[in-house]
Amino acid sequence: MNKQSNTYTILYSAIMVIVVGAVLALVYGALKPKQEENIKIDKMKQMLSAVRIVTESDDQVIDTYNKYIPEAFIINVAGETVSNDKDAAFAIDMAKEMKKPSSERMLPVYKFVGDDAQVRYIVPLSGAGLWGAIWGYVSIDANGSTLYGAYFSHASETPGLGAEIEKPAFQEQFQDKNLFKDGEFKPVEVMKAGQKPTNGADYVDAISGGTITSKGVQSMLNDCLTDYTAFLKNLSNDNSKE
């Protein structure tokens, strides 16, 4: 075949595309289990951060997660448990659930038991910042109202501005804040420094220069935690009976 012909060029290009595609498919298949494992470990680290536990290395994460989070379950917006399958709860993508009507959402809850035997509950959050997705986890005391810790992250917020939501200085403000006041659900407000909410809710200072991302965190807390209101009230009622 004439190597200078168009036919040869087209055949050669087609063969190279097939070969390269096959190689990439093999590489992807070989790396996929490791990628999935890394995603799993990162998710566990984020949950542990929400209960103020920082792991030293990835090798410790799974064992630490299983030690402190022995149970996870799925509830509906009415606060009713629909599954006690820990793996099924872990597999839920909160971003996808938030696109469903509230009545159809499957809401994961992770039960944390500390070294002091204190029980806390971790719930996931999903929302939108200035440039893309934001997400996180908050941990709530057994009274169903007091935040124990928080973790937030983002896909593409601006470094030094909106991206500051992933820094401890912002996240630690949420510790010991309350979600209910006088029995009414009032999620923590994210306010410009020096301002206070008019509804009496607990609040934290917004990120300076990151107004839209801060509002995204506020909306995320409100939108996601509202679905857990019935569950949190049940915790409060159970706690008051003890």
Side-chain angles (χ1 to χ4, degrees), residues 16 25 40 66 68 84 108 116-118 120 122 134-135 140 152 168 196 211 213 219 226 237:
M16 288 302 297
K40 176 181 178 180
N66 288 326
Y68 289 108
N84 288 302
D116 56 1
Q118 289 290 322
R120 297 178 175 93
I122 305 168
I134 59 175
W135 62 89
I140 304 164
F152 305 109
K196 297 181 180 181
T211 302
T213 308
S219 296
T226 294
N237 292 335

Side-chain angles (χ1 to χ4, degrees), residues 19-30:
V19 171
V20 172
V23 171
L24 290 176
L26 288 173
V27 171
Y28 174 77

Side-chain angles (χ1 to χ4, degrees), residues 54-71:
V54 178
T55 52
E56 295 297 327
S57 69
D58 287 352
D59 294 337
Q60 299 175 331
V61 173
I62 296 177
D63 288 342
T64 303
Y65 173 85
N66 288 326
K67 173 185 176 181
Y68 289 108
I69 305 178
E71 300 176 33

Side-chain angles (χ1 to χ4, degrees), residues 51 65 129 216 242:
V51 283
Y65 173 85
E242 294 179 358

Side-chain angles (χ1 to χ4, degrees), residues 63-131:
D63 288 342
T64 303
Y65 173 85
N66 288 326
K67 173 185 176 181
Y68 289 108
I69 305 178
E71 300 176 33
F73 47 94
I74 302 170
I75 64 170
N76 57 26
V77 72
E80 302 163 335
T81 300
V82 297
S83 173
N84 288 302
D85 188 327
K86 184 178 181 182
D87 292 335
F90 189 87
I92 287 179
D93 184 335
M94 195 63 174
K96 292 181 179 179
E97 293 303 313
M98 292 305 295
K99 294 178 181 178
K100 300 177 182 178
S102 181
S103 60
E104 297 177 10
R105 293 173 187 163
M106 294 291 97
L107 308 170
V109 180
Y110 304 86
K111 184 178 180 179
F112 168 84
V113 183
D115 291 327
D116 56 1
Q118 289 290 322
V119 173
R120 297 178 175 93
Y121 296 91
I122 305 168
V123 301
L125 310 170
S126 178
L130 174 59
W131 301 113

Side-chain angles (χ1 to χ4, degrees), residues 127-230:
L130 174 59
W131 301 113
I134 59 175
W135 62 89
Y137 295 89
V138 292
S139 58
I140 304 164
D141 284 346
N143 63 13
S145 177
T146 309
L147 292 179
Y148 179 70
Y151 172 87
F152 305 109
S153 192
H154 64 93
S156 54
E157 298 307 288
T158 307
L161 297 175
E164 295 295 299
I165 64 170
E166 66 182 0
K167 299 296 180 64
F170 178 71
Q171 298 171 5
E172 289 171 359
Q173 294 185 89
F174 289 84
Q175 295 175 10
D176 302 322
K177 302 298 184 182
N178 288 293
L179 300 174
F180 288 87
K181 290 295 183 74
D182 298 323
E184 184 180 352
F185 177 65
K186 295 182 179 180
V188 179
E189 299 272 357
V190 183
M191 306 291 296
K192 184 177 180 180
Q195 295 183 351
K196 297 181 180 181
T198 58
N199 64 353
D202 282 355
Y203 64 96
V204 302
D205 289 339
I207 299 295
S208 178
T211 302
I212 295 179
T213 308
S214 296
K215 289 181 177 179
V217 172
Q218 172 66 70
S219 296
M220 178 171 67
L221 287 165
N222 185 71
D223 294 344
C224 294
L225 292 181
T226 294
D227 285 343
Y228 286 91
T229 302

